[in-house]
Amino acid sequence: MSLAFRPTRRRAAAAVAAVVLTCPLAACGGGGDQQDRGATGSGSGSHAQDVDLTVLAASSLTDVFEKAGAAYEKTRPGTEITFSFAGSQELAAQVRQGAPADVLVTADTRTMDGLRDETGEPVVVARNRLVIATAEGNPEKLAALKDLAGPAVKVVLASPEVPVGRYSRQILDAQGVTVRPVSEEPSVRAVLGKVELGEADAGLVYKTDAATATDKVDSVEIPDAQNAIAQYPAAALKTSRHAEAADAFVRWLATAEAQKLFRDAGFQQP
């Protein structure tokens, strides 16, 4: 299986994948004797060594985590965060393959629960809800979930293995709405991209993702009684070479500073 890494911030995808494919974790550069010591402080005092944390995160966290990473690094000299964004099911596959990472954040508790032997205790750090993303101007005049069943409406959904794809089918089934998607995508950002490019009339995405493309798509709200709540658990990986720093980042995601970033991006509080 190929690794679908999408790293950002100072690390090349080829370099990360090469480590997974050619080097066992225990033999890769230092192993357990390179645990961070003091590098997760609040910005005052000295640190024993620089720490580079790799965070595997659900693609719907892309924008907010770019800001969160910058905020975290600013007050913790010596700590650098590299994010790899993908669908939660892809992240789970990377973890099972032994990807050299430190923290995992998924878009559902089900995926995280399936990795309980690989992670520390997870903490839910944010919540989200779904909306109907339509082409700009909503030319099909879609107003509710039932409208997605129209024979002329081209709908794109995430694959059932993806959290947002599972949520989508959950709310459609609950309303007795049958949708035959023109494609099934590997992540919520891929669903949004299809709508942005005009390859679909509508798609079910998280509210926060639709908010990143208001110049290209419109959003139709789904009533709470018909909606699903996505929960985002975060956990340190047991194979992390920087266990203390990984735990510190997970704890920070629940702080007031981090929660404000989530809230400003449109996420709901955990």
Side-chain angles (χ1 to χ4, degrees):
M1 179 183 293
S2 62
L3 294 183
F5 272 81
R6 183 190 167 194
T8 62
R9 302 163 60 85
R10 312 180 184 90
R11 180 174 294 178
V16 179
V19 174
V20 179
L21 296 174
T22 64
C23 183
L25 287 175
C28 288
D33 62 349
Q34 291 195 16
Q35 295 291 336
D36 52 287
R37 297 181 182 88
T40 59
S42 62
S44 60
S46 61
H47 53 276
Q49 67 177 55
D50 291 345
V51 175
D52 189 353
L53 290 179
T54 297
V55 178
L56 307 180
S59 61
S60 51
L61 295 167
T62 299
D63 297 272
V64 68
F65 263 15
E66 289 294 348
K67 294 179 180 179
Y72 192 77
E73 291 176 351
K74 185 176 181 180
T75 57
R76 290 158 181 82
T79 297
E80 187 173 285
I81 300 181
T82 300
F83 293 106
S84 178
F85 298 104
S88 295
Q89 81 291 350
E90 294 182 42
L91 301 178
Q94 292 171 18
V95 171
R96 293 188 178 102
Q97 290 181 64
D102 303 287
V103 174
L104 173 67
V105 190
T106 62
D108 66 335
T109 56
R110 176 173 168 177
T111 300
M112 185 68 77
D113 288 345
L115 297 167
R116 62 185 60 185
D117 292 337
E118 312 289 339
T119 72
E121 187 67 25
V123 177
V124 175
V125 297
R127 299 191 303 169
N128 215 338
R129 290 176 183 261
L130 275 64
V131 297
I132 303 170
T134 75
E136 187 176 12
N138 192 6
E140 299 297 324
K141 307 303 179 187
L142 304 174
L145 288 172
K146 62 182 179 60
D147 296 334
L148 299 179
V153 180
K154 294 186 294 184
V155 179
V156 61
L157 299 176
S159 299
E161 297 80 14
V162 186
V164 70
R166 191 162 58 250
Y167 295 136
S168 297
R169 288 162 179 80
Q170 174 185 324
I171 64 176
L172 289 169
D173 289 347
Q175 298 304 310
V177 177
T178 300
V179 170
R180 294 177 175 81
V182 295
S183 70
E184 296 184 333
E185 301 301 319
S187 71
V188 66
R189 286 301 172 100
V191 173
L192 185 65
K194 289 284 187 178
V195 180
E196 287 180 300
L197 293 172
E199 296 178 14
D201 299 317
L204 289 174
V205 303
Y206 296 122
K207 183 175 183 177
T208 54
D209 288 284
T212 69
T214 54
D215 58 332
K216 297 179 180 179
V217 303
D218 285 357
S219 296
V220 177
E221 294 285 338
I222 300 171
D224 288 350
Q226 300 177 12
N227 217 323
I229 298 176
Q231 299 195 76
Y232 292 78
L237 293 172
K238 291 181 179 178
T239 54
S240 171
R241 293 166 53 202
H242 307 292
E244 292 180 14
D247 286 336
F249 180 70
V250 170
R251 291 195 302 272
W252 178 79
L253 290 174
T255 65
E257 180 184 8
Q259 288 298 304
K260 183 179 186 303
L261 293 174
F262 281 117
R263 187 168 60 253
D264 290 347
F267 288 87
Q268 295 175 293
Q269 302 300 288

